[in-house]
Amino acid sequence: MHSQSPPPVTFGETPFTRSKRRREKIAFAVFAGMVACIVIPLFLIVGYLVKEGAPLISWDFLTTNPVGGMRKGGIWSALLGTFWLVGTSLCISAPIGVLAAVYLNEYAKDNWFNRVINLAVVNLAGVPSIVHALFGLGAFVLFAHMGRSIIAASLTLAIMTMPVIIASTKESLAAVPRQFREACWNVGATRWQTIWHIVLPNSISGILTGVILQVSRTAGETAPIMFTGAVFYRKIEEGNFFAYGLADQCMALSMHLFTVTTQVTNAPHALPFAIATVLLGFVLMVNLTAILLRSWLRGRKKW
Amino acid sequence: MSDTRMSITTRDLKLWYGKFQALKGIDLDIKSGMITSLIGPSGCGKTTLLRCFNRINERYGNVTTTGEIKLLGKNIYDPDVSLIELRKAIGMVFQRPNPLPISIYENVVFGLLIHSENKPSRRDLDDAVEKALTEVGLWKDLKDRLNDRAIGLQLEQQQKLCIARLLPLKPQIILMDEPCSALDVEGTRAIEELMWSLAGRYTILIVTHNMAQARRASSECIFMLLGELIEHSRTEDLFLTPRESRTAEYIEGRYG
């Protein structure tokens, strides 16, 4: 067979190739445009919030209680309340969620029972927060006689975040290559030794990221805490980080923002913006910590 | 004036991964329509060299290439070379069979579809599938289940399918990177027979770790060591009367 002597090969562009490249460029432009659609409004919103809220924000604003029917003063009790709620709920959901994920990913056999559990976890993550709120009200506030309190609200938040923590942890565990586990078993390590020495250290960055990202979600939720522990107004000792106890009711930033915007008449224009800015700043700082922690842990990762 | 008897020529081809030099000035002339095998110990640059020819190396950052590579008389680093057209004309077969996660039929026509301006008629596609699968010897076994998942095939069939996937595009050159290392004896024999049946119409360049395979399944053989081309001659000559002592020692199995 000798049919190739016609024009010399050039690998040059045909009109068709050119049109393909053009379409590629269009696709690229569309994708980039979509990213812009997300990023630009984000910057506008944040910029607007900060600009409108800036006149009110000061150290005093953060560290004094609201006064004068919440029209004056600061947001100390709400800020501290958010800290407590987030911190407590995380202390509950992180260990349980992570360990459950370790069990599901490393120990559980692939049978119908565990598949049902996995399905339940995934579905739980999609339950609306108001449903969690009602569950929390029924289970913790009323049935367990905790009353409306930080602990009841935190437990409700923990129940809400746990499925997501389980899912993200499972994913980072599954990302550790199987060869590492095989190598471990090969020298006679038990499952637990494998998990402790190899699997966890190599997935910790992903696990922590998943956990910390839940902080921002917890901080922003209003519905679950409204029925279970957050109050309209509460005055606490200024400057004392332990002004709240677990059995106390508390204020929270998200709830405070809601009341100031909708229930309080004649609140200064800048007040809701300032509260939103503080809430946003809180979340941003937590996320920033997550990013820094992740990059630090990635650097320590051995593969 | 380009020499049409040569499919691939390189002059002083050098390649660095970062600071590490993987190819140290390769001068190469590979004849059209022949099976040429590339042998040498691990890390000698066989695969790197193979991957130069469809410019897939540059997909990975931090790679520097200098020198000249001519495919079918055309320097593939010329600015007017379209990577789309180049890769269409140069087929590649990988170590692990990599059928796409679609049906057998769709695998074979995949290249045809993405390279056709107007959607080819069902007839043309059917013909192309039959022709390509017949050429790789799969038609008889698979003609009744063309819509099955390609991933579900035996490894040997998967690898043949990967070769069949290239054929409708009428590639000039087929690059094979250890195409049999995941296959058993039967599969290896089948692929080698297939290579012989394709030789003549296609230029085939095969990287192999298996010296016996190079001996069985190629007309010319290239021995590489530490990024240099040591010897290039007819396969028989290279194995029976190697010119270089390093080649002789490798073939005898003194190192490997």
Side-chain angles (χ1 to χ4, degrees):
Chain A
M1 297 248 183
H2 50 84
S3 53
Q4 288 120 15
S5 46
V9 186
T10 61
F11 306 119
E13 287 207 324
T14 61
F16 180 44
T17 321
R18 247 192 305 282
S19 92
K20 271 193 222 172
R21 275 235 320 259
R22 216 167 27 240
R23 265 177 287 164
E24 165 129 327
K25 271 190 195 138
I26 292 171
F28 176 78
V30 168
F31 294 143
M34 291 299 163
V35 173
C37 284
I38 299 167
V39 172
I40 293 172
L42 179 74
F43 275 99
L44 288 179
I45 292 171
V46 173
Y48 183 62
L49 282 179
V50 172
K51 181 177 149 280
E52 295 291 320
L56 262 185
I57 294 175
S58 65
W59 186 244
D60 279 348
F61 182 71
L62 296 179
T63 55
T64 57
N65 284 320
V67 289
M70 295 199 276
R71 292 182 189 90
K72 295 210 188 74
I75 51 167
W76 166 247
S77 52
L79 184 62
L80 189 64
T82 292
F83 263 112
W84 273 83
L85 286 173
V86 169
T88 318
S89 77
L90 214 61
C91 286
I92 300 163
S93 65
I96 300 180
V98 169
L99 295 183
V102 169
Y103 173 78
L104 287 174
N105 197 61
E106 302 291 323
Y107 285 98
K109 296 198 173 61
D110 188 25
N111 55 27
W112 69 268
F113 180 68
N114 286 311
R115 278 200 292 273
V116 168
I117 292 184
N118 277 320
L119 195 70
V121 168
V122 172
N123 278 310
L124 217 53
V127 172
S129 57
I130 190 74
V131 176
H132 284 292
L134 293 175
F135 171 78
L137 179 66
F140 303 127
V141 176
L142 301 175
F143 182 75
H145 296 291
M146 290 175 179
R148 294 165 153 242
S149 57
I150 289 183
I151 185 74
S154 300
L155 279 168
T156 312
L157 288 171
I159 297 280
M160 194 187 73
T161 48
M162 216 175 300
V164 189
I165 289 183
I166 292 178
S168 67
T169 304
K170 263 181 71 182
E171 215 140 280
S172 15
L173 291 174
V176 177
R178 205 165 48 106
Q179 298 98 287
F180 293 174
R181 295 187 178 85
E182 283 170 353
C184 244
W185 300 337
N186 236 2
V187 294
T190 61
R191 264 170 196 273
W192 168 241
Q193 285 172 319
T194 308
I195 293 165
W196 182 248
H197 290 288
I198 298 299
V199 179
L200 279 180
N202 281 300
S203 53
I204 192 75
S205 62
I207 294 174
L208 279 182
T209 312
V211 170
I212 292 175
L213 284 179
Q214 281 311 299
V215 171
S216 41
R217 179 143 171 263
T218 318
E221 279 295 348
T222 321
I225 55 174
M226 225 146 85
F227 301 146
T228 52
V231 290
F232 190 67
Y233 180 70
R234 195 185 145 99
K235 200 172 162 175
I236 54 165
E237 190 189 334
E238 284 168 7
N240 179 4
F241 194 77
F242 295 98
Y244 283 123
L246 281 183
D248 292 343
Q249 296 188 315
C250 67
M251 287 180 73
L253 279 177
S254 54
M255 174 94 168
H256 189 50
L257 179 59
F258 172 70
T259 36
V260 165
T261 334
T262 61
Q263 317 282 312
V264 178
T265 46
N266 298 329
H269 173 71
L271 185 56
F273 290 101
I275 298 172
T277 307
V278 172
L279 186 56
L280 215 63
F282 176 75
V283 168
L284 201 73
M285 256 157 60
V286 171
N287 286 352
L288 201 68
T289 323
I291 292 167
L292 290 178
L293 202 61
R294 185 172 50 189
S295 61
W296 181 66
L297 286 166
R298 278 232 184 105
R300 281 167 38 113
K301 209 146 105 170
K302 305 292 192 295
W303 55 282
Chain B
M1 64 124 267
S2 63
D3 192 345
T4 47
R5 288 176 303 109
M6 294 299 169
S7 269
I8 304 176
T9 57
T10 69
R11 290 291 171 267
D12 198 28
L13 173 62
K14 292 177 181 159
L15 183 142
W16 291 262
Y17 293 114
K19 292 236 178 309
F20 174 74
Q21 188 171 7
L23 298 178
K24 299 170 181 166
I26 304 279
D27 295 320
L28 192 66
D29 296 285
I30 290 177
K31 297 192 185 76
S32 292
M34 277 207 180
I35 305 179
T36 305
S37 59
L38 273 168
I39 61 170
S42 283
C44 70
K46 307 183 294 278
T47 298
T48 301
L49 179 62
L50 196 70
R51 285 166 165 265
C52 285
F53 300 139
N54 59 358
R55 288 182 56 184
I56 229 169
N57 275 331
E58 56 199 86
R59 268 285 159 94
Y60 313 102
N62 213 13
V63 174
T64 325
T65 316
T66 63
E68 186 190 75
I69 307 176
K70 278 189 173 168
L71 261 54
L72 308 160
K74 173 74 181 169
N75 186 347
I76 60 170
Y77 283 98
D78 279 352
D80 63 333
V81 167
S82 152
L83 275 185
I84 298 174
E85 295 298 322
L86 173 70
R87 290 185 184 151
K88 182 180 155 194
I90 317 294
M92 189 150 187
V93 178
F94 295 84
Q95 201 164 350
R96 298 246 7 137
N98 55 355
L100 294 165
I102 45 185
S103 75
I104 296 167
Y105 187 95
E106 289 167 315
N107 258 284
V108 180
V109 297
F110 184 77
L112 213 50
L113 286 179
I114 63 169
H115 286 292
S116 308
E117 209 161 352
N118 307 309
K119 197 173 163 5
S121 71
R122 185 75 193 184
R123 264 265 325 257
D124 291 346
L125 293 180
D126 288 348
D127 288 348
V129 170
E130 179 171 354
K131 194 158 163 252
L133 288 182
T134 309
E135 230 172 322
V136 298
L138 282 178
W139 179 248
K140 253 194 263 156
D141 295 336
L142 299 185
K143 67 177 177 215
D144 295 323
R145 46 192 191 105
L146 292 175
N147 290 316
D148 285 11
R149 291 177 309 136
I151 303 281
L153 295 173
Q154 300 158 9
L155 278 180
E156 169 201 336
Q157 292 179 321
Q158 286 189 17
Q159 195 63 300
K160 283 179 171 174
L161 179 66
C162 291
I163 297 171
R165 188 172 55 194
L166 305 173
L167 302 182
L169 293 176
K170 305 197 169 41
Q172 321 269 355
I173 300 170
I174 298 180
L175 307 171
M176 298 186 169
D177 189 0
E178 302 202 34
C180 299
S181 65
L183 305 184
D184 61 10
V185 180
E186 273 305 301
T188 304
R189 194 178 51 78
I191 297 290
E192 286 171 7
E193 277 173 11
L194 172 59
M195 285 163 55
W196 282 118
S197 76
L198 296 174
R201 282 168 296 164
Y202 308 94
T203 305
I204 297 177
L205 188 59
I206 173 176
V207 163
T208 176
H209 241 103
N210 179 339
M211 271 186 276
Q213 177 173 53
R215 204 162 172 173
R216 283 193 304 267
S218 65
S219 337
E220 296 222 331
C221 189
I222 294 168
F223 173 61
M224 287 181 68
L225 190 61
L226 298 169
E228 285 174 83
L229 190 155
I230 306 295
E231 191 162 344
H232 177 186
S233 56
R234 289 177 48 218
T235 303
E236 290 165 44
D237 297 343
L238 190 120
F239 279 95
L240 294 176
T241 52
R243 285 193 300 274
E244 287 272 337
S245 60
R246 284 174 293 182
T247 315
E249 282 168 13
Y250 179 71
I251 290 166
E252 284 164 23
R254 298 261 184 88
Y255 58 93

